[in-house]
Amino acid sequence: MTKWLLATGLLMPLYSAQATQDPEAVYNRVCGACHSGQLPTAPRKGDQEAWAPRLAQGMETLVQHVTQGFKAMPPRGLCMDCSAEDYRAIIHWMSE
């Protein structure tokens, strides 16, 4: 029993560090409203030229911008059930 609890304790942080939501589903539900072209300042999915200067700022800065809001980006990107890990996954998915 002790070994099982120890293993669970060691693996739990690894599990929780992963995104809990599918990036494409979140994009379709929330992000696409602005990032599919309706808001000219929002980089479109797959537009590597638009994403390059943003990615150069670092992922933590981008996650902070989404979480706190930045320019036209509303706080939390209007995804109230997204975690920081979800935001990282969505940014990565959108910028590919």
Side-chain angles (χ1 to χ4, degrees):
M1 181 67 160
T2 303
K3 289 181 183 179
W4 184 82
L5 290 173
L6 180 59
T8 302
L10 291 174
L11 294 176
M12 206 54 162
L14 296 175
Y15 177 75
S16 63
Q18 297 176 2
T20 58
Q21 300 185 61
D22 175 52
E24 185 174 5
V26 174
Y27 174 84
N28 290 334
R29 181 173 50 104
V30 184
C31 310
C34 296
H35 287 274
S36 61
Q38 285 79 351
L39 186 63
T41 58
R44 296 179 87 165
K45 182 194 176 334
D47 185 347
Q48 294 178 354
E49 187 177 324
W51 279 103
R54 290 166 172 86
L55 293 171
Q57 296 176 29
M59 185 60 75
E60 294 312 308
T61 298
L62 294 177
V63 170
Q64 181 181 9
H65 287 172
V66 175
T67 305
Q68 296 176 358
F70 183 75
K71 297 184 179 180
M73 170 72 80
R76 302 196 59 79
L78 298 179
C79 183
M80 300 307 157
D81 63 339
C82 286
S83 67
E85 292 80 20
D86 291 322
Y87 292 131
R88 285 184 195 93
I90 294 162
I91 291 166
H92 178 73
W93 183 82
M94 286 176 42
S95 64
E96 290 183 324

